[in-house]
Amino acid sequence: MLDTIVAERPVAQDVSVPGLGGVAGADRAPVTVDDVAMFTGRLESGAPCVFEATRMAWGRKNAIRVEVNGSTGSLAFDFEDMNVLHLYDASAPATEQGFTRIYVTEADHPYVAAWWPPGHGLGYEHGFVHQVVDLVTAVADGEQPRPSFADGLTVQRVLDAVERSSQDEGRYTTTGTTGPVRHTEGES
Protein backbone atom coordinates (compact mmCIF):
# COMPACT_ATOMS: atom_id res chain seq x y z
CA MET A 1 0.00 0.00 0.00
CA LEU A 2 1.28 3.40 -1.01
CA ASP A 3 -0.49 6.62 -0.12
CA THR A 4 0.08 10.35 -0.43
CA ILE A 5 -1.56 12.04 2.56
CA VAL A 6 -0.55 15.63 1.84
CA ALA A 7 -1.59 16.52 -1.70
CA GLU A 8 0.49 19.69 -2.03
CA ARG A 9 3.39 21.35 -0.23
CA PRO A 10 5.15 24.72 -0.32
CA VAL A 11 7.67 25.11 -3.13
CA ALA A 12 11.27 25.80 -2.08
CA GLN A 13 12.60 29.18 -3.18
CA ASP A 14 16.22 30.09 -3.82
CA VAL A 15 18.16 31.90 -1.14
CA SER A 16 21.19 34.08 -1.64
CA VAL A 17 23.43 32.19 0.82
CA PRO A 18 25.31 29.38 -0.98
CA GLY A 19 24.92 25.92 0.50
CA LEU A 20 21.73 26.61 2.44
CA GLY A 21 19.33 25.26 -0.17
CA GLY A 22 15.84 26.64 -0.50
CA VAL A 23 13.31 27.98 1.95
CA ALA A 24 9.56 27.39 1.79
CA GLY A 25 7.69 30.05 -0.11
CA ALA A 26 4.04 30.93 -0.50
CA ASP A 27 3.68 28.99 -3.78
CA ARG A 28 2.45 25.40 -3.53
CA ALA A 29 2.86 22.43 -5.87
CA PRO A 30 1.43 18.90 -6.09
CA VAL A 31 3.30 16.22 -4.13
CA THR A 32 4.78 13.53 -6.36
CA VAL A 33 6.07 11.16 -3.66
CA ASP A 34 4.35 8.81 -1.23
CA ASP A 35 3.91 9.83 2.41
CA VAL A 36 3.19 6.23 3.50
CA ALA A 37 4.45 2.86 2.25
CA MET A 38 3.58 -0.45 3.89
CA PHE A 39 4.23 -3.91 2.51
CA THR A 40 4.84 -7.51 3.45
CA GLY A 41 7.26 -9.85 1.78
CA ARG A 42 9.47 -12.89 2.12
CA LEU A 43 13.23 -13.00 2.37
CA GLU A 44 15.19 -15.42 0.19
CA SER A 45 15.20 -17.79 3.18
CA GLY A 46 11.39 -17.80 3.13
CA ALA A 47 11.09 -15.82 6.35
CA PRO A 48 8.18 -13.35 6.32
CA CYS A 49 8.92 -9.65 6.79
CA VAL A 50 6.97 -6.42 7.24
CA PHE A 51 8.10 -2.96 6.09
CA GLU A 52 6.62 0.41 6.92
CA ALA A 53 7.83 3.88 5.99
CA THR A 54 6.01 7.12 6.64
CA ARG A 55 6.53 10.85 6.88
CA MET A 56 3.36 11.10 8.96
CA ALA A 57 4.43 9.64 12.34
CA TRP A 58 4.11 12.33 14.99
CA GLY A 59 7.02 12.49 17.42
CA ARG A 60 9.47 10.73 15.12
CA LYS A 61 12.49 12.64 13.86
CA ASN A 62 14.26 9.94 11.85
CA ALA A 63 13.21 6.62 13.34
CA ILE A 64 14.81 4.20 10.95
CA ARG A 65 13.97 1.14 13.02
CA VAL A 66 15.03 -2.37 12.10
CA GLU A 67 13.82 -5.33 14.12
CA VAL A 68 14.64 -8.96 13.46
CA ASN A 69 12.72 -11.65 15.35
CA GLY A 70 13.86 -15.26 15.15
CA SER A 71 13.54 -18.61 16.85
CA THR A 72 16.24 -17.82 19.44
CA GLY A 73 15.66 -14.13 20.10
CA SER A 74 15.23 -10.64 18.72
CA LEU A 75 17.49 -7.75 17.74
CA ALA A 76 16.33 -4.15 17.32
CA PHE A 77 18.02 -0.95 16.16
CA ASP A 78 16.53 2.55 16.07
CA PHE A 79 18.38 5.34 14.27
CA GLU A 80 17.12 7.85 16.84
CA ASP A 81 19.19 5.93 19.43
CA MET A 82 21.98 4.96 17.08
CA ASN A 83 24.59 4.01 19.69
CA VAL A 84 22.53 1.12 21.07
CA LEU A 85 21.36 -2.31 19.94
CA HIS A 86 18.55 -4.05 21.81
CA LEU A 87 19.03 -7.83 22.11
CA TYR A 88 16.58 -10.39 23.47
CA ASP A 89 18.19 -13.78 24.04
CA ALA A 90 15.42 -16.38 24.31
CA SER A 91 17.93 -19.03 25.40
CA ALA A 92 18.79 -17.11 28.60
CA PRO A 93 17.34 -18.41 31.88
CA ALA A 94 13.81 -17.16 32.64
CA THR A 95 15.16 -14.99 35.46
CA GLU A 96 17.34 -13.11 32.93
CA GLN A 97 14.76 -12.64 30.16
CA GLY A 98 14.23 -9.19 28.71
CA PHE A 99 15.91 -6.91 26.21
CA THR A 100 19.56 -6.04 26.85
CA ARG A 101 20.91 -2.66 25.73
CA ILE A 102 24.25 -3.14 23.99
CA TYR A 103 26.34 -0.02 23.47
CA VAL A 104 28.14 -0.14 20.14
CA THR A 105 30.83 2.36 21.05
CA GLU A 106 33.10 -0.08 22.84
CA ALA A 107 36.74 -0.76 21.97
CA ASP A 108 36.07 -3.93 19.93
CA HIS A 109 33.84 -2.25 17.34
CA PRO A 110 35.28 -2.58 13.80
CA TYR A 111 35.36 1.20 13.22
CA VAL A 112 36.66 2.28 16.64
CA ALA A 113 40.05 3.34 15.26
CA ALA A 114 38.36 6.27 13.49
CA TRP A 115 36.25 7.41 16.47
CA TRP A 116 36.63 9.25 19.70
CA PRO A 117 37.66 7.11 22.70
CA PRO A 118 35.31 4.17 23.42
CA GLY A 119 32.06 5.12 25.10
CA HIS A 120 31.67 8.47 23.34
CA GLY A 121 28.50 8.81 21.27
CA LEU A 122 28.47 8.60 17.49
CA GLY A 123 26.58 11.00 15.29
CA TYR A 124 24.72 10.89 12.00
CA GLU A 125 27.80 11.86 10.00
CA HIS A 126 29.80 8.84 11.17
CA GLY A 127 27.65 6.53 9.04
CA PHE A 128 28.72 8.42 5.92
CA VAL A 129 32.37 8.36 6.98
CA HIS A 130 32.15 4.56 7.40
CA GLN A 131 30.66 4.21 3.91
CA VAL A 132 33.56 6.15 2.39
CA VAL A 133 36.13 4.13 4.37
CA ASP A 134 34.53 0.86 3.21
CA LEU A 135 34.42 2.02 -0.43
CA VAL A 136 38.01 3.25 -0.53
CA THR A 137 39.29 0.17 1.32
CA ALA A 138 37.49 -2.21 -1.06
CA VAL A 139 38.81 -0.37 -4.13
CA ALA A 140 42.36 -0.32 -2.71
CA ASP A 141 42.12 -4.07 -1.94
CA GLY A 142 40.73 -4.86 -5.42
CA GLU A 143 37.45 -6.11 -3.96
CA GLN A 144 33.86 -5.45 -4.99
CA PRO A 145 32.52 -2.61 -2.80
CA ARG A 146 29.36 -3.40 -0.81
CA PRO A 147 26.68 -2.49 -1.27
CA SER A 148 27.22 -3.09 -4.98
CA PHE A 149 25.34 -1.97 -8.06
CA ALA A 150 23.65 -5.40 -8.04
CA ASP A 151 22.51 -4.80 -4.43
CA GLY A 152 21.03 -1.45 -5.46
CA LEU A 153 19.30 -3.08 -8.43
CA THR A 154 17.76 -5.67 -6.11
CA VAL A 155 16.38 -2.89 -3.91
CA GLN A 156 14.94 -1.13 -6.96
CA ARG A 157 13.25 -4.37 -8.07
CA VAL A 158 11.61 -4.72 -4.66
CA LEU A 159 10.43 -1.09 -4.74
CA ASP A 160 9.06 -1.61 -8.25
CA ALA A 161 7.15 -4.71 -7.11
CA VAL A 162 5.71 -2.74 -4.16
CA GLU A 163 4.52 0.00 -6.51
CA ARG A 164 2.99 -2.49 -8.95
CA SER A 165 1.29 -4.35 -6.09
CA SER A 166 -0.17 -1.11 -4.75
CA GLN A 167 -1.54 -0.27 -8.20
CA ASP A 168 -3.08 -3.77 -8.37
CA GLU A 169 -5.12 -3.53 -5.13
CA GLY A 170 -2.31 -5.02 -3.03
CA ARG A 171 -2.06 -8.33 -4.87
CA TYR A 172 1.08 -10.39 -4.28
CA THR A 173 3.68 -9.31 -6.82
CA THR A 174 7.11 -10.82 -7.44
CA THR A 175 10.28 -9.01 -8.38
CA GLY A 176 11.02 -11.59 -11.06
CA THR A 177 14.31 -13.40 -11.38
CA THR A 178 15.82 -11.05 -13.94
CA GLY A 179 14.10 -7.84 -12.97
CA PRO A 180 10.67 -6.32 -12.89
CA VAL A 181 8.24 -8.02 -15.26
CA ARG A 182 6.92 -5.42 -17.70
CA HIS A 183 5.59 -6.26 -21.11
CA THR A 184 4.27 -3.81 -23.61
CA GLU A 185 2.15 -4.76 -26.58
CA GLY A 186 4.21 -6.53 -29.25
CA GLU A 187 6.93 -7.78 -26.87
CA SER A 188 7.43 -11.45 -26.21
Side-chain angles (χ1 to χ4, degrees):
M1 182 181 81
L2 302 174
D3 201 358
T4 301
I5 306 296
V6 178
E8 62 180 29
R9 292 192 176 98
V11 176
Q13 296 178 339
D14 291 333
V15 293
S16 60
V17 181
L20 289 183
V23 295
D27 294 335
R28 299 179 76 77
V31 172
T32 59
V33 296
D34 302 305
D35 291 317
V36 176
M38 293 181 273
F39 66 97
T40 59
R42 288 202 180 272
L43 301 178
E44 285 185 29
S45 67
C49 50
V50 177
F51 296 87
E52 176 187 353
T54 181
R55 301 168 180 249
M56 310 310 288
W58 285 104
R60 301 288 184 199
K61 301 297 181 197
N62 197 16
I64 301 170
R65 184 170 172 83
V66 177
E67 186 168 329
V68 178
N69 301 295
S71 60
T72 60
S74 298
L75 183 69
F77 171 78
D78 187 335
F79 198 72
E80 289 180 356
D81 192 11
M82 65 186 299
N83 292 283
V84 177
L85 290 173
H86 297 269
L87 173 69
Y88 185 93
D89 182 0
S91 66
T95 57
E96 298 174 19
Q97 291 294 325
F99 277 90
T100 302
R101 290 172 50 96
I102 301 171
Y103 289 91
V104 297
T105 56
E106 296 304 321
D108 58 350
H109 193 285
Y111 293 104
V112 75
W115 294 342
W116 300 107
H120 286 73
L122 302 177
Y124 177 72
E125 71 281 3
H126 290 96
F128 296 101
V129 172
H130 300 158
Q131 291 175 36
V132 171
V133 168
D134 287 347
L135 173 67
V136 171
T137 301
V139 170
D141 293 345
E143 298 173 0
Q144 171 66 48
R146 292 302 299 262
S148 66
F149 178 82
D151 295 328
L153 179 59
T154 298
V155 170
Q156 291 303 309
R157 288 177 174 155
V158 169
L159 296 175
D160 178 73
V162 168
E163 190 169 356
R164 288 184 288 121
S165 174
S166 180
Q167 293 167 352
D168 193 22
E169 299 179 6
R171 286 186 177 79
Y172 180 79
T173 305
T174 65
T175 60
T177 56
T178 59
V181 179
R182 285 201 179 109
H183 295 288
T184 57
E185 196 169 313
E187 286 186 343
S188 58

